[in-house]
């Protein structure tokens, strides 16, 4: 009997000794938190609202796209204000050219190899003491030389529209996008071919995100350029991306959709040529 009581006594002492350790281990497991890893501030959007997600098709061939910014200092007010505190629609540092890496990333995902014409047109304009209306003349020799020496499936002159937010913004499936529209220079004798490329991409954009493209606008006559260097290449389009009040997030989202639309159009063109 005495031996039995000793066993119980020592068992109780052992329990008292290990209980704090068990309790401490339990509390420790409850207090563990996962520290968030700080990610870069640059916003990158993969489309989540389109009817055709990025991985829903696999283009068979890579396509080559040349991108240029005739009005290279066109800017978005929210982006400029966020970076410098200024309210400006043109800026030499914070402007549409800052989207080059985002464009390259989204286009690459969609099998589009993108090259950017190596000239800051607005800087060149100022350095040669020429006026804003001469921008297309300033960029023309650079563009002409590039397309004479290299072959591209599509040439895109990318701009920022001057429209206000209510005109330039689309809300679709609880997300906002900067709208797009295309400009065709009808003083170009072969403008109908450029118009066809523009219309195909515009239609595909609206298939992916209804209403994201405002369509194709033809311009000619006095007080406009009327050609926009589109006479240099039949597969050249001028795209107005968003408006002065669109945010970085909205422009990123639109770029991701634009990349899909261009890729599909160019792949469909290849399929038609092979049939």
């Amino acid at each position: 009997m005495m031996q039995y009581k000793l066993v119980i006594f020592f068992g109780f002492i052992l329990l008292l000794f290990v209980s704090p350790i068990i309790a401490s281990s339990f509390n420790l497991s409850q207090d563990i938190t996962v520290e968030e890893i700080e990610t870069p501030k640059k916003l990158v959007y993969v489309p989540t609202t389109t009817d055709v997600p990025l991985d829903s098709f696999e283009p068979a061939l890579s396509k080559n796209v040349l991108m240029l910014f005739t009005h290279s200092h066109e800017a978005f007010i929210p982006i400029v204000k966020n970076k410098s505190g200024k309210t400006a629609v043109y800026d030499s540092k914070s402007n549409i050219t800052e989207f080059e890496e985002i464009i390259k990333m989204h286009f690459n995902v969609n099998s589009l190899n993108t090259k950017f014409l190596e000239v800051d047109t607005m800087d060149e304009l100022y350095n040669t003491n020429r006026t804003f209306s001469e921008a297309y003349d300033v960029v023309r020799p650079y563009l002409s030389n590039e397309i004479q020496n290299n072959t591209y499936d599509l040439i895109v002159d990318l701009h920022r529209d001057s429209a206000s937010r209510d005109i330039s913004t689309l809300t679709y499936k609880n997300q906002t996008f900067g709208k797009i529209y295309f400009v065709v220079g009808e003083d170009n004798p072969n403008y109908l071919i450029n118009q066809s490329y523009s219309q195909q991409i515009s239609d595909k954009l609206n298939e992916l995100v209804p209403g994201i493209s405002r369509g194709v606008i033809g311009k000619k006559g006095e007080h406009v350029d009327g050609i926009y260097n589109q006479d240099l290449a039949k597969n050249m389009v001028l795209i107005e991306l968003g408006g002065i009040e669109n945010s970085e997030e909205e422009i990123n989202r639109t770029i991701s959709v634009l990349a899909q639309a261009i890729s599909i159009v160019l792949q469909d063109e290849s399929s038609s040529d092979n049939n």
Side-chain angles (χ1 to χ4, degrees), residues 167-208:
I167 296 174
S168 70
T169 309
L170 169 73
T171 300
Y172 178 70
K173 293 187 177 179
N174 298 317
Q175 288 188 313
T176 51
F177 298 78
K179 289 184 180 181
I180 278 176
Y181 77 88
F182 297 77
V183 177
V184 175
E186 294 184 353
D187 286 330
N188 167 24
N190 297 311
Y191 81 89
L192 288 175
I193 302 175
N194 302 85
Q195 185 182 70
S196 177
Y197 273 98
S198 298
Q199 192 64 58
Q200 289 179 66
I201 299 170
S202 176
D203 291 344
K204 185 58 63 177
L205 280 162
N206 284 332
E207 285 182 27
L208 298 173

Side-chain angles (χ1 to χ4, degrees), residues 111-181:
S111 297
L112 300 171
N113 301 318
T114 309
K115 181 176 180 179
F116 294 90
L117 191 65
E118 295 181 1
V119 57
D120 188 320
T121 313
M122 293 294 100
D123 277 352
E124 190 69 17
L125 197 76
Y126 303 143
N127 292 337
T128 55
N129 199 30
R130 301 174 81 173
T131 64
F132 186 84
S133 62
E134 296 177 276
Y136 290 97
D137 295 330
V138 169
V139 78
R140 187 178 180 89
Y142 294 93
L143 176 59
S144 179
N145 181 67
E146 180 63 34
I147 61 180
Q148 284 175 13
N149 291 288
N150 297 285
T151 301
Y152 295 97
D153 298 288
L154 187 70
I155 301 166
V156 179
D157 187 3
L158 196 62
H159 293 250
R160 181 268 302 137
D161 189 30
S162 59
S164 58
R165 182 171 180 79
D166 59 323
I167 296 174
S168 70
T169 309
L170 169 73
T171 300
Y172 178 70
K173 293 187 177 179
N174 298 317
Q175 288 188 313
T176 51
F177 298 78
K179 289 184 180 181
I180 278 176
Y181 77 88

Side-chain angles (χ1 to χ4, degrees), residues 78-98:
I79 300 175
V80 176
K81 195 167 187 178
N82 182 56
K83 294 185 177 180
S84 67
K86 298 186 297 183
T87 299
V89 295
Y90 289 92
D91 192 84
S92 61
K93 295 181 180 179
S94 180
N95 52 55
I96 194 168
T97 65
E98 284 195 310

Side-chain angles (χ1 to χ4, degrees), residues 4-5 30 48-49 63 71 80 111 113 152 157 170-171 180 185 207 214 234-235 270 274:
Y4 177 74
K5 288 182 178 181
Q30 297 300 310
T48 57
T49 59
K63 299 294 182 178
H71 295 153
V80 176
S111 297
N113 301 318
Y152 295 97
D157 187 3
L170 169 73
T171 300
I180 278 176
E207 285 182 27
R214 295 161 57 193
K234 296 176 181 179
N235 60 340
S270 292
N274 292 331

Side-chain angles (χ1 to χ4, degrees), residues 7 39 45 58 64 76 88 115 205 234 246-247 255 267:
V7 170
T39 56
Y45 284 87
E58 295 183 4
N64 296 318
F76 301 87
K115 181 176 180 179
L205 280 162
K234 296 176 181 179
N246 284 116
S247 68
I255 289 170
Q267 292 302 324

Side-chain angles (χ1 to χ4, degrees), residues 4-73:
Y4 177 74
K5 288 182 178 181
L6 287 173
V7 170
I8 294 175
F9 175 78
F10 284 114
F12 179 74
I13 294 298
L14 180 62
L15 180 61
L16 290 176
F17 178 79
V18 298
S19 291
I21 298 175
I22 296 173
S24 174
S25 299
F26 179 80
N27 290 334
L28 180 61
S29 65
Q30 297 300 310
D31 292 338
I32 293 176
T33 58
V34 178
E35 184 178 351
E36 293 186 1
I37 300 174
E38 186 176 352
T39 56
K41 299 294 184 182
K42 194 68 177 178
L43 296 164
V44 176
Y45 284 87
V46 174
T48 57
T49 59
T50 62
D51 295 326
V52 182
L54 279 175
D55 57 357
S56 66
F57 66 97
E58 295 183 4
L61 298 172
S62 293
K63 299 294 182 178
N64 296 318
V65 176
L66 176 65
M67 188 83 63
L68 64 143
F69 306 96
T70 296
H71 295 153
S72 53
H73 292 179

